[in-house]
Every structure is written in C-alpha cells, then in structure tokens.
Amino acid sequence: MSAKKVTVLDVQKAKEEGRKLVMVTAYDYPFGLLADEAGVDIVLVGDSLGMVVMGLAGTVEVNMDHMIHHIKAVVRGCKGPLVVGDMPFMSYNTSIREAIHNAGRLMKEGGCDVIKLEGGVDFAPTVAAIVKAGIPVQGHIGLTPQTASALGGFKMQGRNAAAAKQIIDDARALEDAGVFSIVLEAVPAPLGRLVAEAVKVPVIGIGAGPNVDGQVLVTHDMIGLFDKFVPKFVKQYTHIRSIILEALAGYKNDVQEVTFPGPEHSFSMPDEALEQLKKMMKG
Ligand code: KIV
C-alpha cells in the first residue's frame, strides 16, 4: 500500500537529511502499482520506454502521445511516489514556448507531478522558463540518451578534466535555473561525488557511482525483462524473462497435450440441461 505522497520538498529534504533517494522507471499500470507497493521515492515514466516497451532502437522516435499514454497508466497505479514524466526528444528543443506547452501537457493530460528533460548549460533558460510557469523540473546530464548520436554513442561521459568540468558547470547552471533534482548518467564515480558536492539539489545517479544522493535504474533492466544489452551500471536483481519463458513453455505444453484446461478451470452444466440440449439438437 502506498504511504503518504512524496513531494518535491520531500526529495530536497532527503539530501539535507543524508537519506538516499530510490528512483525506478515504470511504463504501465502494473509496474506503477508494484513501484508504489515497494515504497520507492520517485517513479520515472522514462522515454526509455521506446527501447524496453516499444522495441525501438533508441529514444529519439518517442513522441508526446506515447509519453502521455504511458504516464496516465502509471499514475493510475502509483499513488505514493513522486511521478516524473520524461519530455521526449524535440518536445522542448525548438522553442521555450513549445517547451512550456509540452511540459504542461505531460502534467495536465498525463497527470505526472513533475517533468524531466535532458541538457545542461544550454538548456538552463528553458528550464528556468518551465519552472517559472509553475512546473517542477528534474534535470538530466552526463550521458543524455536523446543526443547519444551527437555524443558518439551510449558512452561514459566526463572522461577528461575539461569534459568533467563541463558536467559540473551543467549541474550548477541547472541548479541556478531552479531544478529540484538532477539525474546524472554514466560518469566516473569520482565525478559523481564531485557533482553531488557541487550542488544543493539531490543528484540521482545512474552509472555515477555510490557517492551521489540516490540511484535510478530502468526497472526492465534491473529485473532482467529487457536484456538485449545490459549496461555495466545495471545490477540484475532477478531474471524475470526466464520465469516468464518457463510459464509460457508450460502453458504451450499443457494446451498441446490437453492437460489444460482441467475440470478446475472449466464451467459445468447441469446434466439435465445437457441431455435436453442434445435432444433438441437431434431435432
Ligand atoms: O528514460 C529513462 O529511463 C531515463 C533514465 C535512464 C534515467 O532517463
């Protein structure tokens, strides 16, 4: 059962109190319910749904309608955690006006509590405008999957001092722009610590080492439901694919061998009614 609703203020307080934040992704009602029951702090309806739910090669093709559809389903199941709606590629990149409009759509039509978008210094004015419009924003820096092709692929970021410094500058610019927290993806662990120390807002890592203010993983990676590729930073807590495959194989066998459905899964009919029916059929 869900506890009290997590708010942006609770997320910010967690850093002050030294409590690590737990964030996972969800894309539909059953996983929204599960994340709620598990008592996580934050649920992200991430555009990673392009890969792990829609079977796309990346996140670039994900659009506003996909996001709203999935956010609505998660929100129905997820009453306790703060629900973050991910802004899809090109929904905030072309103009600040369009960015505010689309951020508003995710909240008004999808029902999420806050939004997340990718980008650092360059996107600080956009973030500031969305925050000013009354929409809480979570930043996302380091490896930004929507622009992975510009970054040379899904690679660790901040390898050298200049690149690492840029990521710290990105975090500071986002903080100044008013984000309530920042997702930091795929950077060396020592840089993760430096970024978390550089800003007051919570830094939630995914492949950023242990010394940040919380962790986020894509649930389908963590439970082994999606294993086309498993990034180095993913810990698989189970391999749910094998369990599902075993169940499907059992069902297939039972259907072919007619051991399913058994009497316990079938409806009965009074003998009298059956006899009467047979007579009627004979004419
Ligand atoms: O879309 C997503 O799931 C994300 C996580 C990788 C943080 O942005």
Side-chain angles (χ1 to χ4, degrees):
M1 275 308 101
S2 59
K4 146 189 173 305
K5 179 78 184 170
V6 176
T7 66
V8 164
L9 294 183
D10 296 325
V11 170
Q12 288 174 320
K13 216 160 97 192
K15 180 160 186 167
E16 287 160 30
E17 293 172 350
R19 188 173 63 80
K20 298 284 185 189
L21 288 158
V22 182
M23 173 165 159
V24 294
T25 62
Y27 313 102
D28 56 22
Y29 175 70
F31 276 90
L33 276 178
L34 288 168
D36 189 81
E37 204 171 319
V40 304
D41 298 296
I42 307 174
V43 169
L44 166 67
V45 187
D47 62 355
S48 50
L49 69 85
M51 286 167 289
V52 304
V53 175
M54 295 170 69
L56 302 170
T59 57
V60 166
E61 287 172 67
V62 176
N63 63 33
M64 285 292 296
D65 291 340
H66 299 140
M67 291 310 305
I68 289 168
H69 172 87
H70 287 274
I71 292 169
K72 273 178 158 169
V74 171
V75 165
R76 280 183 211 118
C78 210
K79 302 300 174 202
L82 185 79
V83 179
V84 184
D86 219 359
M87 295 281 283
F89 186 53
M90 286 299 147
S91 66
Y92 57 96
N93 317 61
T94 51
S95 78
I96 287 184
R97 193 182 163 82
E98 200 178 6
I100 296 172
H101 173 73
N102 284 326
R105 281 194 67 199
L106 290 192
M107 283 181 80
K108 279 162 70 90
E109 296 175 43
C112 56
D113 302 305
V114 301
I115 64 100
K116 173 170 88 59
L117 59 80
E118 298 182 7
V121 172
D122 293 345
F123 283 88
T126 305
V127 168
I130 297 174
V131 171
K132 200 166 168 208
I135 299 172
V137 179
Q138 182 173 58
H140 184 158
I141 54 174
L143 172 60
T144 44
Q146 290 173 6
T147 44
S149 61
L151 298 173
F154 290 86
K155 290 182 180 157
M156 189 189 79
Q157 301 297 304
R159 280 173 196 277
N160 58 47
K165 173 70 170 49
Q166 180 58 55
I167 291 172
I168 293 173
D169 290 347
D170 286 337
R172 287 190 171 132
L174 289 178
E175 178 168 57
D176 290 345
V179 296
F180 72 91
S181 90
I182 296 171
V183 167
L184 177 61
E185 180 163 355
V187 299
L191 176 58
R193 177 197 281 267
L194 288 173
V195 174
E197 285 171 358
V199 291
K200 286 201 177 67
V201 294
V203 174
I204 302 178
I206 171 163
N211 297 307
V212 286
D213 307 307
Q215 300 291 332
V216 53
L217 280 179
V218 169
T219 299
H220 289 44
D221 290 341
M222 178 216 300
I223 64 173
L225 183 54
F226 179 82
D227 62 0
K228 276 205 171 134
F229 56 87
V230 183
K232 174 182 166 61
F233 52 74
V234 169
K235 176 171 173 182
Q236 277 192 336
Y237 287 83
T238 183
H239 196 256
I240 208 82
R241 275 192 98 249
S242 322
I243 298 170
I244 295 173
L245 277 172
E246 205 179 309
L248 290 173
Y251 170 65
K252 181 180 165 197
N253 183 67
D254 283 358
V255 171
Q256 288 172 341
E257 300 296 321
V258 201
T259 51
F260 172 83
E264 69 277 33
H265 302 114
S266 304
F267 298 105
S268 60
M269 185 178 180
D271 291 346
E272 202 184 300
L274 184 58
E275 284 313 313
Q276 209 178 347
L277 172 64
K278 283 180 182 166
K279 275 186 201 152
M280 283 164 78
M281 287 175 69
K282 278 183 196 150

